[in-house]
Amino acid sequence: MHIDKEIDTRGLNCPLPILRAKKALTDMTTGQLLRVVATDPGSLRDFQAFARQTGNELVEQQQLGEEIVHVLRRR
């Protein structure tokens, strides 16, 4: 999977990971992939809701130890 942009939100709590992802997505073009690395356990459901509300596709969510990786495709 080719990731076009990655942001690190480790140590940040809700709503900061979502806000950083939203800002990053505005600079991207349709179809590009954004990878977000987070440590907030609430980010799992937050990114699911964010994808539903914005129309961006949540391609993958993966928990790797304490880190949670979210991959979004820009609408």
Side-chain angles (χ1 to χ4, degrees), residues 1-71:
M1 185 181 326
H2 171 73
I3 301 298
D4 297 289
K5 190 171 194 174
E6 181 171 336
I7 58 172
D8 181 355
T9 64
R10 288 178 279 205
L12 301 177
N13 292 322
C14 181
L16 290 175
I18 292 287
L19 293 175
R20 299 256 171 107
K22 186 176 180 180
K23 184 174 191 259
L25 285 166
T26 61
D27 296 334
M28 297 172 71
T29 59
T30 299
Q32 286 189 314
L33 294 177
L34 171 66
R35 182 175 192 256
V36 182
V37 181
T39 50
D40 180 8
S43 70
L44 281 166
R45 68 176 185 282
D46 292 344
F47 274 92
Q48 291 166 7
F50 175 74
R52 277 194 308 274
Q53 292 168 358
T54 62
N56 294 298
E57 179 189 355
L58 186 58
V59 177
E60 181 179 284
Q61 281 187 309
Q62 210 175 33
Q63 184 135 15
L64 306 168
E66 291 186 13
E67 294 182 353
I68 304 154
V69 177
H70 311 278
V71 178

